[in-house]
Amino acid sequence: GPAPFFILGPCALESEAFAWEMAKSLKEIADKTGIHFIFKASYDKANRTSVKSFRGPGVEEGCRILAEIGKELGVPVTTDIHTAEDAEIAGAYIDLLQIPAFLCRQTDLLEAAAKTGRVVNVKKGQFLAPWDTINIADKLRSFGCERFLLTERGTTFGYNNLVTDMRSLYWMRKEGLPVIFDATHSVQRPGGLGGATGGDGELAPVLARAAIATGVDGVFMETHSDPANAMSDGPNQIPLEFMEDVLVKLIAIHHAAHG
Amino acid sequence: GPAPFFILGPCALESEAFAWEMAKSLKEIADKTGIHFIFKASYDKANRTSVKSFRGPGVEEGCRILAEIGKELGVPVTTDIHTAEDAEIAGAYIDLLQIPAFLCRQTDLLEAAAKTGRVVNVKKGQFLAPWDTINIADKLRSFGCERFLLTERGTTFGYNNLVTDMRSLYWMRKEGLPVIFDATHSVQRPGGLGGATGGDGELAPVLARAAIATGVDGVFMETHSDPANAMSDGPNQIPLEFMEDVLVKLIAIHHAAHG
Amino acid sequence: GPAPFFILGPCALESEAFAWEMAKSLKEIADKTGIHFIFKASYDKANRTSVKSFRGPGVEEGCRILAEIGKELGVPVTTDIHTAEDAEIAGAYIDLLQIPAFLCRQTDLLEAAAKTGRVVNVKKGQFLAPWDTINIADKLRSFGCERFLLTERGTTFGYNNLVTDMRSLYWMRKEGLPVIFDATHSVQRPGGLGGATGGDGELAPVLARAAIATGVDGVFMETHSDPANAMSDGPNQIPLEFMEDVLVKLIAIHHAAHG
Amino acid sequence: GPAPFFILGPCALESEAFAWEMAKSLKEIADKTGIHFIFKASYDKANRTSVKSFRGPGVEEGCRILAEIGKELGVPVTTDIHTAEDAEIAGAYIDLLQIPAFLCRQTDLLEAAAKTGRVVNVKKGQFLAPWDTINIADKLRSFGCERFLLTERGTTFGYNNLVTDMRSLYWMRKEGLPVIFDATHSVQRPGGLGGATGGDGELAPVLARAAIATGVDGVFMETHSDPANAMSDGPNQIPLEFMEDVLVKLIAIHHAAHG
């Protein structure tokens, strides 16, 4: 099968300078390893556990920055949107619009994303069975969107834990749906304990390997040049310095498993 | 302890006439059984599985109808809101604003609801641990909302199933949080199979009994005069004709357990 | 419906004197509250987490003690058996033979228990769906056992946690199967962390109330005159001094819900 | 890292002739692909759903057959034991003694297996957290057994379903424990519905690929020359004709991921 592509970038658009730095570094790694990637950063962390947490520059500013980065580096860009209004604004700038997992069944948001004509990437809710993503695909198609992706990011497994069911990737693809595996959010410990349990960041590349061996169309990984000082989701992000090795191994596994 | 109150009404505001009829019937039952209740109906089913499904009259029309019913019958009313804009409109009419479970962590929606000055009822996400509702309470308080409720409506349990952890009611109340048990949504089989598994409607009163015996501040139950022909969630709604008996038994259990 | 009966006693048969003391105290409470109970104690804790843990007096000695207690006090007795050999020995002394949850599908053990002619109480495995207990009932019947009970004691819910699905009680009884709810094991945190999470002992009476309100044939509760110094399962056992109040409340709830 | 080894064979020892045929075929495939394997077959299916199901030739006869096959073909053999008596008999013949998942915490069975001096392979219970396997390892060591394996075979995930948490493989190996992944039982749908859901057999090689990419010491796969007519677990066994391709791919993935 064709080599998987990657969605890479930091969790949050911490600043314009930071976004440029991360994008340039990733572009270099992509050129060196021969992978295709979409640059990702969030302009608004809209469901943080605490109201005191950093949220981001907002939709207008965030999308402008991402679009400039994309144009300059010749790389498609993506970000997550949270309202129908966001969809309209982001649709003017952004190549791939991402629907957050908690919002994956909000009909109005899916419709607004679909109406932009952009590619839409819906994260599968932590509460959703793999086969029920077909309903999401049907909704998107009914709104005229034929180019979309579904992203697996783990399923609720007891309290404060997610599990990645690798069968989910297989089942969704068997339905003809294009599937991304989000390696960094799948290893999150959701809720108030999130981040308190160290060491999960080392798990993201492990699960990415498993997903590639299972078979996916793409892999989503958040990365940061300094995870310990990241403004959000620090413990889960893969250190930028490891990213080249991670990608080289993933490509090798893909060829071994599906070449 | 004080007797629990009830949130009762049909899933959807199917029509103005239907809403009046349901509210009047419930008011009679409440007067007869001596319970306090809040009348509930949804003006928009915003995350239906299929785009072809009935959604409702919309926020303006829906809230106007509910407010008229509430004023005429002397009963507080509630409905669920899905955006910050909805919150502002509904806040002018509605006594108790309900935040849907999938949206329970959307900071902007919580803020908009809090800013109305109305009581806010947040459904606990199917992906959330009981103790993480404290973060929701803290968010609401930080936006100036001191009067709020948390509603348990089941936790993701494998695929296409929810389980109600009765310990959740105990743990949340022990934190000083006022807790409602949503008996009808807790017995849902979420996803594409929803409604295909008959017989769940008979489970709602069973779980309501268990929740009352465990200890709750209130019970939420959807009811319909003709569940088989309901425009949404038919199989889970309790037939209106059974409601009086259900309530009488729940009150008796409350007195036996906590009187 | 008829009032539920109770299976009461300490987790482990710590000593002959302790067993007598506990049984006499429970007999007094039973006489005072008017309940029927079966006295329970384990002669061997066969699957402790650590090999260094206390196990008990063994099958011969344990069953002899229980039988003498039962005869003297006029109370039926029960204990859990772990092998076909145990079943044969215990069958000579014990009124109700209990099959542990992990062993609920071991055909030879079920057969040996059935062949004793005693009543058999099978704990539902933490890995078993409610409707699959029908297969256990069918196995017992095929071995000539028509008098048996099924005990709900929680289902695996993520790691190191169990959840009690109250629907399970309803579903099993609807199949015509007699159902016991084990309140003390249902609040266990299984595995290496077991017992480390204090405060679960207060949950056992809470879940017992919910189960009674749901509807059960009996309730199993472990109790100890000094839980803090119990030789096993200390944190889950209900202090003996609370048992009378717990029972009075459970009976009251039963009458309110099903009287 | 070193290449993983494999535990391969049919679910049940259906007949002496069948066992020989399967072992010879697997030996040929192993020689051709350069893998190391242990031949597996069960002499007794001790926890079948129904008492009418085929169980096998029993411990004496089964172990004799396996030992002869092992000696003749120069291949180590393994089988699962269910009682301390079984352990003693099997210990005289069998290289690797397997403890079934439901019995993984039965201290007496672990002790009896350890006392044989054979290598012991404990299947991780469907109810056990990965980190709690350390308690099993400690038990084995306290009985003098230093050579043992732990086998992941899925965790309870709602009703009638298992999920394989690939993180489990990583966590257990990080503790220094040698880990096998059981690909065929991990795709089982446990309980009365088992086997009714077709198509799971195709999932076993998919999950095996994911496990190899994650990192394991060995892979367990049941295989049958005619799964449709297998006397047990037909739908999960991998058709023998596919086994060579499956193994070649797994070895390639191992080298890509860990070479």
Side-chain angles (χ1 to χ4, degrees):
Chain A
F5 62 91
F6 295 88
I7 301 175
L8 304 174
C11 178
L13 213 164
E14 301 185 5
S15 74
E16 186 157 359
F18 171 73
W20 275 98
E21 184 198 323
M22 287 297 301
K24 283 180 186 167
S25 300
L26 286 167
K27 180 72 164 73
E28 272 176 49
I29 294 169
D31 289 347
K32 200 167 157 196
T33 54
I35 62 134
H36 290 280
F37 90 108
I38 300 166
F39 182 66
K40 180 265 165 187
S42 294
Y43 58 78
D44 184 14
K45 309 309 296 175
N47 54 24
R48 297 299 296 269
T49 300
S50 164
V51 292
K52 282 168 235 144
S53 306
F54 171 80
R55 288 190 50 169
V59 57
E60 284 278 10
E61 173 77 350
C63 290
R64 180 193 58 76
I65 295 170
L66 285 171
E68 285 175 14
I69 289 173
K71 196 178 170 191
E72 174 77 14
L73 301 184
V75 167
V77 293
T78 187
T79 197
D80 45 328
I81 57 176
H82 313 90
T83 64
E85 293 72 37
D86 280 14
E88 208 179 323
I89 297 166
Y93 295 100
I94 301 296
D95 303 285
L96 176 67
L97 297 177
Q98 179 184 300
I99 308 294
F102 292 154
L103 307 182
C104 73
R105 286 190 56 169
Q106 302 302 314
T107 305
D108 291 344
L109 182 56
L110 291 172
E111 180 171 18
K115 296 287 193 235
T116 65
R118 298 292 190 170
V119 187
V120 179
N121 177 19
V122 185
K123 293 216 172 178
K124 173 173 152 285
Q126 300 87 334
F127 44 79
L128 208 67
W131 38 85
D132 290 330
T133 54
I134 294 172
N135 297 319
I136 294 173
D138 286 345
K139 273 192 192 175
L140 288 170
R141 287 187 193 117
S142 76
F143 293 127
C145 174
E146 294 292 337
R147 294 185 305 152
F148 57 84
L149 307 169
L150 292 167
T151 294
E152 171 66 49
R153 49 94 75 241
T155 305
T156 298
F157 183 61
Y159 293 135
N160 296 301
N161 203 182
L162 298 171
V163 69
T164 300
D165 184 353
M166 292 289 160
R167 298 173 303 178
S168 172
L169 308 173
Y170 177 82
W171 284 323
M172 290 193 286
R173 295 185 89 210
K174 215 178 153 186
E175 296 292 336
L177 304 170
V179 173
I180 309 299
F181 176 63
D182 176 346
T184 34
H185 289 93
S186 293
V187 300
Q188 264 184 334
R189 302 292 189 106
L193 303 177
T197 52
D200 286 344
E202 70 195 71
L203 279 170
V206 173
L207 288 197
R209 293 202 304 263
I212 288 274
T214 301
V216 284
D217 299 283
V219 173
F220 174 112
M221 291 183 284
E222 288 185 349
T223 180
H224 196 285
S225 48
D226 184 9
N229 292 304
M231 288 181 178
S232 64
D233 271 8
N236 302 312
Q237 298 190 59
I238 298 172
L240 183 62
E241 58 185 318
F242 299 162
M243 192 48 77
E244 183 180 331
D245 285 353
V246 168
L247 291 168
V248 166
K249 190 150 280 185
L250 293 181
I251 294 296
I253 293 171
H254 170 77
H255 288 307
H258 315 284
Chain B
F5 62 91
F6 296 87
I7 301 177
L8 305 173
C11 178
L13 213 163
E14 301 185 5
S15 74
E16 187 158 358
F18 171 74
W20 275 99
E21 183 198 324
M22 287 297 302
K24 283 180 185 168
S25 299
L26 286 167
K27 179 71 163 73
E28 272 176 49
I29 294 169
D31 290 346
K32 200 166 159 196
T33 55
I35 62 135
H36 290 280
F37 89 108
I38 301 166
F39 182 66
K40 180 264 165 191
S42 295
Y43 58 78
D44 184 14
K45 310 307 297 175
N47 54 24
R48 298 299 296 271
T49 300
S50 164
V51 291
K52 281 167 236 144
S53 305
F54 171 79
R55 289 189 52 170
V59 59
E60 284 280 8
E61 173 78 352
C63 291
R64 181 192 58 76
I65 295 170
L66 285 171
E68 286 175 12
I69 289 172
K71 195 177 170 194
E72 173 78 13
L73 302 184
V75 168
V77 293
T78 186
T79 196
D80 44 329
I81 57 176
H82 314 89
T83 65
E85 293 73 37
D86 280 14
E88 208 180 323
I89 298 167
Y93 295 101
I94 301 295
D95 304 284
L96 175 67
L97 298 177
Q98 179 183 303
I99 308 292
F102 293 153
L103 306 181
C104 72
R105 289 190 53 171
Q106 303 302 313
T107 305
D108 291 345
L109 181 57
L110 290 172
E111 181 172 17
K115 296 288 191 234
T116 64
R118 298 293 190 168
V119 188
V120 179
N121 177 20
V122 184
K123 293 216 171 178
K124 174 173 152 284
Q126 299 88 335
F127 42 80
L128 208 68
W131 37 85
D132 291 331
T133 54
I134 294 172
N135 297 318
I136 293 173
D138 286 345
K139 273 192 193 176
L140 288 170
R141 288 188 192 114
S142 76
F143 294 127
C145 174
E146 295 292 338
R147 295 186 305 153
F148 56 84
L149 308 168
L150 292 167
T151 294
E152 171 66 48
R153 47 96 73 241
T155 305
T156 298
F157 183 60
Y159 293 135
N160 296 303
N161 204 182
L162 298 171
V163 70
T164 299
D165 184 354
M166 293 288 161
R167 299 173 303 178
S168 172
L169 307 174
Y170 178 83
W171 284 323
M172 291 194 285
R173 295 184 89 210
K174 215 179 154 185
E175 296 292 337
L177 304 171
V179 173
I180 309 299
F181 175 63
D182 176 346
T184 33
H185 290 93
S186 292
V187 299
Q188 263 186 335
R189 303 293 189 103
L193 302 178
T197 52
D200 285 344
E202 69 195 72
L203 279 169
V206 174
L207 288 196
R209 292 202 305 262
I212 288 274
T214 301
V216 285
D217 299 283
V219 174
F220 173 113
M221 291 183 282
E222 288 184 349
T223 179
H224 196 286
S225 48
D226 183 9
N229 292 304
M231 287 182 179
S232 64
D233 273 6
N236 303 312
Q237 299 190 60
I238 298 172
L240 181 62
E241 59 186 317
F242 299 161
M243 191 50 78
E244 183 180 331
D245 284 353
V246 168
L247 292 168
V248 167
K249 191 151 280 183
L250 294 181
I251 293 296
I253 293 172
H254 170 77
H255 289 306
H258 316 283
Chain C
F5 62 90
F6 295 88
I7 301 176
L8 304 175
C11 177
L13 212 165
E14 301 186 5
S15 74
E16 188 158 355
F18 171 73
W20 275 99
E21 185 200 320
M22 287 297 301
K24 282 181 187 168
S25 300
L26 287 167
K27 180 70 164 74
E28 272 176 48
I29 295 168
D31 289 346
K32 200 168 159 194
T33 54
I35 61 136
H36 290 280
F37 90 108
I38 301 166
F39 182 65
K40 181 265 164 190
S42 295
Y43 59 77
D44 183 16
K45 310 309 295 175
N47 54 26
R48 298 298 296 269
T49 300
S50 163
V51 291
K52 282 169 237 144
S53 306
F54 170 79
R55 288 188 53 168
V59 57
E60 284 279 9
E61 173 78 351
C63 290
R64 181 191 58 77
I65 296 170
L66 286 170
E68 286 175 13
I69 289 172
K71 197 178 169 191
E72 174 78 15
L73 301 184
V75 167
V77 292
T78 186
T79 196
D80 44 331
I81 57 175
H82 312 91
T83 63
E85 292 73 38
D86 280 14
E88 208 179 323
I89 297 167
Y93 295 100
I94 301 296
D95 304 285
L96 175 67
L97 298 178
Q98 180 184 302
I99 307 293
F102 292 155
L103 307 183
C104 72
R105 286 190 55 169
Q106 303 302 314
T107 305
D108 291 343
L109 182 56
L110 291 172
E111 181 173 16
K115 296 289 193 233
T116 65
R118 299 292 192 172
V119 187
V120 180
N121 177 19
V122 185
K123 292 215 171 177
K124 174 173 152 284
Q126 300 88 337
F127 43 79
L128 208 68
W131 37 86
D132 291 330
T133 54
I134 294 173
N135 298 318
I136 293 173
D138 286 345
K139 273 192 194 175
L140 288 171
R141 287 187 193 116
S142 76
F143 293 129
C145 175
E146 294 294 335
R147 295 185 304 154
F148 57 84
L149 308 167
L150 293 166
T151 294
E152 172 66 49
R153 47 94 75 241
T155 304
T156 298
F157 184 61
Y159 292 136
N160 297 302
N161 204 181
L162 297 171
V163 71
T164 298
D165 184 353
M166 293 288 161
R167 299 173 303 178
S168 172
L169 309 174
Y170 177 83
W171 284 324
M172 291 194 284
R173 293 185 90 210
K174 216 179 154 187
E175 296 292 337
L177 304 171
V179 173
I180 309 299
F181 176 63
D182 175 346
T184 34
H185 289 94
S186 293
V187 299
Q188 263 186 335
R189 302 292 189 106
L193 302 177
T197 53
D200 286 344
E202 72 196 70
L203 279 169
V206 174
L207 289 197
R209 292 202 306 262
I212 288 274
T214 301
V216 284
D217 299 283
V219 174
F220 173 114
M221 291 184 283
E222 288 185 349
T223 179
H224 196 286
S225 48
D226 185 8
N229 292 304
M231 288 183 178
S232 65
D233 272 10
N236 302 313
Q237 299 190 59
I238 298 172
L240 182 62
E241 60 186 315
F242 299 162
M243 191 49 76
E244 183 180 331
D245 284 354
V246 168
L247 291 168
V248 166
K249 191 150 279 184
L250 294 181
I251 294 295
I253 293 171
H254 169 77
H255 289 306
H258 315 283
Chain D
F5 63 90
F6 295 88
I7 301 175
L8 304 175
C11 178
L13 213 165
E14 301 185 5
S15 73
E16 187 159 357
F18 171 73
W20 275 98
E21 186 199 322
M22 288 296 302
K24 283 180 187 169
S25 299
L26 287 167
K27 180 70 163 72
E28 272 176 48
I29 294 169
D31 290 345
K32 201 167 159 194
T33 54
I35 61 137
H36 291 280
F37 89 108
I38 300 166
F39 181 65
K40 180 266 165 189
S42 295
Y43 59 77
D44 184 16
K45 309 309 295 175
N47 56 23
R48 299 298 297 271
T49 300
S50 164
V51 292
K52 282 170 235 142
S53 304
F54 171 79
R55 290 188 54 168
V59 58
E60 283 279 9
E61 173 79 351
C63 291
R64 180 191 60 76
I65 295 170
L66 285 171
E68 285 175 13
I69 289 172
K71 196 179 169 190
E72 173 79 13
L73 301 184
V75 168
V77 293
T78 187
T79 197
D80 44 330
I81 57 176
H82 313 91
T83 65
E85 293 73 38
D86 280 14
E88 207 180 322
I89 297 167
Y93 296 100
I94 302 295
D95 303 285
L96 175 68
L97 297 178
Q98 179 184 302
I99 308 292
F102 292 154
L103 307 182
C104 73
R105 288 190 55 171
Q106 303 302 313
T107 306
D108 291 342
L109 181 58
L110 291 171
E111 181 172 18
K115 296 290 193 231
T116 64
R118 299 294 191 168
V119 187
V120 179
N121 177 20
V122 184
K123 294 215 170 177
K124 174 173 153 284
Q126 299 88 335
F127 43 79
L128 208 68
W131 37 84
D132 291 331
T133 54
I134 294 172
N135 297 319
I136 293 173
D138 286 346
K139 273 193 194 176
L140 288 171
R141 287 187 193 117
S142 77
F143 294 128
C145 174
E146 294 293 337
R147 296 185 304 154
F148 57 82
L149 308 168
L150 292 167
T151 294
E152 171 67 48
R153 48 92 78 241
T155 304
T156 298
F157 183 60
Y159 293 136
N160 297 304
N161 204 182
L162 298 171
V163 70
T164 299
D165 184 353
M166 293 288 161
R167 299 172 304 178
S168 172
L169 308 174
Y170 178 83
W171 284 323
M172 291 193 284
R173 293 185 90 210
K174 216 178 155 187
E175 296 292 339
L177 304 170
V179 174
I180 309 299
F181 176 63
D182 176 346
T184 33
H185 289 94
S186 293
V187 300
Q188 264 185 333
R189 303 293 189 102
L193 302 178
T197 54
D200 285 345
E202 69 195 72
L203 280 169
V206 174
L207 289 197
R209 293 201 305 262
I212 288 273
T214 301
V216 283
D217 299 283
V219 174
F220 174 112
M221 291 184 283
E222 288 184 349
T223 179
H224 197 287
S225 47
D226 184 10
N229 292 304
M231 287 182 180
S232 65
D233 271 9
N236 302 312
Q237 299 190 58
I238 298 172
L240 182 62
E241 60 186 315
F242 298 162
M243 192 48 78
E244 183 181 331
D245 285 354
V246 168
L247 291 168
V248 167
K249 191 150 280 184
L250 294 181
I251 294 295
I253 293 171
H254 170 76
H255 289 306
H258 315 284

